[in-house]
Amino acid sequence: MGGRAVETAHAPVRRAGAPRSAFCPGSSVSKPQSKRFRLLQAAVAIVALAPCLAFSQAVEPVDLDVVAKIRHEAFNRSQVAANLKELTETIGPRLTNSPAYVRSSEWARNKLSGYGLTNVHDEVYDEAFGRGWEFRASRVELIAPRELPIHALPKAWTPGTNGPVEGELVRASFKTVEDIEKQRGKLAGKIVLLDEARAYKPADKPDFRRHTEEDLGELQTFPVPQDRDPDAQNKRLDEYRKRQELVRALNTFFAEEGVLATLSISSWDNGIVRVMGGGGRKAGDPEGVPDLVVAAEHYNQLVRAVDAKQAPRLRVDVQARFTSDADLPATSTFAELRGSSKANETVIIGAHLDSWHTGTGAADNGAGVVVMMEAMRILKAIDARPKRTIRIALWGGEEQGLHGSAGYVAKYLADWPAPTDPEQIALPRAFQRGTGPLQRRAGFDRFSTYFNFDNGTGRIRGIYAQENHAAVPVFRAWLAPFADLGATVVTTRNTGSTDHISFDRVGLPGFQFVQDPADYFSHVHHTHLDTYDHVVPDDLKQAAAIIASFAYHAAMREERLPRKPFSERDE
């Protein structure tokens, strides 16, 4: 789009046409002098200008007129709060392939089409991701030796009880597959505690916090990585496989044994129930028995009651069901703001649409979804005309291993040849190790960059450059107009555990923003408290403005965003 461009780097911004003398002393002549004096003065000026001439080659254009329009639209006509309420309180949690996920995808497509975006569609990334599942209610009660409601919620993809069941509460430990035989014949009709009690640990930090200047300063240092252990990845994968083998064996054993239900302790204290998946997502996998996570303070009481030989009994009623018998295809949602002179090149912004099932997926990652949708709405509303196509991606299956983004990258950008080892095939794509050199797809050279938002509600304080040093001055330039909103930091550090990694692992520029912690890791991450009330709408307005500006400027660069050195051995 048109407008007055400025050049920004480590110096104040300068509008086109402003005198260079304001930025490079000695670059202007104030009044006529003798010819000899003028030649001497010109020579001195050239020497003085040399650093500025070198500097001018490194500056990054920033269109402040467009930035101003983005900010005005973001802060005066924001739709993030209204959209987040609809997504989380009308549709609710969005477990991949659940009926609610399907509704959320339709909702997103309708919104994006309404904004005037093009190529709005869903796309399958896995033809047989797994079965649909949902739960409606969970009720657990201690009924002897006294009565007490127990705060517990089921793991995803585990069966319901088909009505209330009652049984004696017992303890059993299963560290390895070999432990199963020690319990065979002992647990029929029982409700089993699987974990030890855990001592309560009082919090020593505020529940909600912003980054301090000390925090941000620390982020701008780079810790030298330790030497790689060549066997570390193999060890991690071996541990993962052993855990998966144990889970499958236990699911089969509990069902055959006639166990009524199993209970585990929440990994967080203060009544917070942190719940993810269990059971059998894939058709044909053993489903197990009703499997619930219990608030730590309630779980500890149950352990003590068993240890004191009080013969505790529980009543459990879980309304949960598989919504399909066969594995269903899983999808992500896309839309575009079509580019002009470089329309076949892409800038992608994204967040994951799926969530876990006990909260409403507001911070993780409804916040990211509505921020990215808002960024696209803003660009369309201000009639932005980017050179490159800007694409929004709302990924599915992130919570189960970055499935949506990894599938997209493998299909359109790059991937290693599919593994042939059955154990590798069983791993999520992001964890698989291929059998040959990286295979680059047609879109690899047409891809510019990917920006991700997935750390809760926290406002943007900067960006992780993922050791892409050539991108650092570019990002500093793009952040400069948002310093008054607290976004100033470009750190060379890496960050992981979300969808930008699918791009980064094949050598493509993929980035996640530095966000204030808020209460993401104290209250909401994968817990039943991940609800609208734990989101700060003003944070999301700020994030949408910054991401809209980053996407626009990435789409307007003469060159693609720089790529860091990459060796296929890095994989």
Side-chain angles (χ1 to χ4, degrees):
M1 185 175 178
R4 297 188 298 277
V6 300
E7 296 173 326
T8 312
H10 301 288
V13 297
R14 180 182 66 85
R15 287 192 178 273
R20 178 70 73 171
S21 59
F23 295 84
C24 298
S27 60
S28 64
V29 177
S30 58
K31 60 182 180 180
Q33 301 287 346
S34 69
K35 181 177 180 181
R36 182 179 179 184
F37 181 83
R38 290 198 304 272
L39 290 173
L40 178 61
Q41 191 175 40
V44 172
I46 289 171
V47 173
L49 274 170
C52 292
L53 294 172
F55 172 82
S56 68
Q57 296 175 1
V59 296
E60 181 71 16
V62 177
D63 193 326
L64 289 184
D65 286 342
V66 171
V67 170
K69 291 176 182 178
I70 287 172
R71 288 175 59 128
H72 182 78
E73 183 69 25
F75 301 146
N76 292 284
R77 286 184 282 274
S78 175
Q79 295 185 16
V80 292
N83 281 345
L84 189 62
K85 283 181 182 176
E86 288 183 22
L87 180 61
T88 62
E89 298 192 343
T90 300
I91 296 172
R94 304 165 302 281
L95 185 72
T96 302
N97 274 7
S98 67
Y101 183 89
V102 175
R103 293 194 297 271
S104 71
S105 178
E106 180 181 11
W107 172 87
R109 294 196 309 273
N110 289 338
K111 288 284 184 181
L112 295 168
S113 296
Y115 297 156
L117 301 176
T118 61
N119 197 19
V120 180
H121 68 285
D122 284 352
E123 190 169 307
V124 173
Y125 59 84
D126 189 332
E127 292 287 352
F129 177 84
R131 293 180 289 176
W133 182 90
E134 64 181 358
F135 97 100
R136 296 181 179 178
S138 172
R139 185 173 183 178
V140 180
E141 301 165 282
L142 180 67
I143 56 177
R146 63 189 181 88
E147 295 181 349
L148 177 71
I150 300 298
H151 193 182
L153 293 165
K155 295 179 183 178
W157 293 293
T158 59
T161 56
N162 294 317
V165 297
E166 296 181 10
E168 181 186 355
L169 190 63
V170 298
R171 294 179 61 189
S173 177
F174 299 93
K175 303 297 184 185
T176 66
V177 173
E178 288 71 28
D179 291 331
I180 291 175
E181 290 304 316
K182 300 174 185 177
Q183 299 294 338
R184 194 174 295 278
K186 301 177 182 179
L187 303 178
K190 301 293 195 296
I191 297 170
V192 183
L193 296 170
L194 298 177
D195 294 322
E196 301 292 330
R198 186 181 70 242
Y200 176 76
K201 183 180 179 181
D204 57 1
K205 294 180 180 178
D207 291 335
F208 185 102
R209 67 187 187 90
R210 301 286 189 184
H211 275 310
T212 64
E213 290 304 313
E214 183 179 357
D215 295 335
L216 298 176
E218 173 65 20
L219 277 174
Q220 292 177 88
T221 65
F222 184 79
V224 176
Q226 299 295 311
D227 291 340
R228 286 187 177 184
D229 178 356
D231 297 323
Q233 185 177 30
N234 289 333
K235 291 176 183 176
R236 288 194 298 270
L237 292 177
D238 187 54
E239 290 172 359
Y240 175 85
R241 283 192 287 263
K242 286 180 178 178
R243 287 196 303 272
Q244 295 302 103
E245 179 187 2
L246 178 59
V247 167
R248 287 192 293 270
L250 285 174
N251 284 343
T252 299
F253 167 69
F254 290 145
E256 292 176 348
E257 189 78 358
V259 170
L260 296 181
T262 57
L263 306 180
S264 302
I265 189 170
S266 174
S267 57
W268 290 8
D269 292 329
N270 297 316
I272 299 173
V273 182
R274 193 164 189 259
V275 192
M276 289 170 280
R281 190 185 86 218
K282 289 278 194 176
D285 284 350
E287 295 178 7
V289 299
D291 187 7
L292 300 98
V293 177
V294 183
E297 293 84 350
H298 284 186
Y299 189 92
N300 287 344
Q301 293 182 57
L302 298 178
V303 170
R304 290 191 288 267
V306 172
D307 290 349
K309 301 186 185 308
Q310 296 176 354
R313 293 181 63 80
L314 291 184
R315 180 185 297 122
V316 179
D317 186 4
V318 177
Q319 297 177 36
R321 69 185 186 102
F322 290 93
T323 60
S324 63
D325 294 327
D327 291 332
L328 302 175
T331 62
S332 299
T333 300
F334 301 90
E336 291 178 351
L337 180 59
R338 189 69 177 167
S340 55
S341 60
K342 297 178 183 288
N344 65 335
E345 298 184 17
T346 55
V347 170
I348 306 178
I349 64 174
H352 67 89
L353 183 57
D354 67 304
S355 76
W356 288 112
H357 56 291
T358 59
T360 60
D364 187 19
N365 187 26
V369 169
V370 300
V371 161
M372 294 310 190
M373 291 174 64
E374 177 73 355
M376 297 295 281
R377 185 196 69 79
I378 290 167
L379 291 173
K380 187 64 178 177
I382 67 170
D383 196 27
R385 306 288 179 88
K387 295 177 181 177
R388 292 177 180 84
T389 295
I390 300 175
R391 180 174 299 149
I392 181 174
L394 303 178
W395 309 114
E398 189 272 352
E399 296 292 7
Q400 291 76 48
L402 313 183
H403 287 271
S405 57
Y408 177 90
V409 169
K411 182 176 181 179
Y412 292 109
L413 303 176
D415 196 19
W416 280 265
T420 56
D421 180 354
E423 290 188 343
Q424 285 287 322
I425 294 171
L427 297 173
R429 183 186 291 273
F431 302 150
Q432 291 177 359
R433 302 182 69 179
T435 57
L438 184 68
Q439 298 176 338
R440 290 165 174 81
R441 314 295 189 215
F444 190 88
D445 290 328
R446 299 196 297 266
F447 174 83
S448 179
T449 188
Y450 172 75
F451 296 114
N452 195 71
F453 191 84
D454 181 23
N455 283 150
T457 187
R459 66 182 174 181
I460 289 175
R461 306 302 301 275
I463 191 168
Y464 293 95
Q466 297 290 130
E467 297 188 58
N468 187 335
H469 295 274
V472 169
V474 177
F475 290 157
R476 285 179 176 157
W478 293 351
L479 279 178
F482 299 97
D484 59 338
L485 295 171
T488 59
V489 171
V490 180
T491 173
T492 55
R493 294 186 182 192
N494 296 306
T495 189
S497 301
T498 187
D499 288 301
H500 70 290
I501 292 300
S502 296
F503 298 83
D504 186 74
R505 69 187 286 268
V506 298
L508 292 172
F511 306 97
Q512 164 69 27
F513 292 90
V514 177
Q515 296 175 242
D516 276 334
D519 61 355
Y520 192 59
F521 289 112
S522 61
H523 279 120
V524 303
H525 185 240
H526 298 174
T527 80
H528 74 294
L529 296 182
D530 186 1
T531 63
Y532 179 85
D533 297 284
H534 286 266
V535 172
V536 182
D538 284 351
D539 285 4
L540 305 187
K541 294 177 185 178
Q542 181 249 28
I546 292 171
I547 293 170
S549 181
F550 266 57
Y552 176 79
H553 285 97
M556 293 299 290
R557 297 186 90 242
E558 288 303 314
E559 303 295 332
R560 299 171 314 189
L561 208 69
R563 299 182 180 186
K564 66 183 179 183
F566 175 73
S567 168
E568 293 179 14
R569 294 189 300 273
D570 293 341
E571 165 61 11

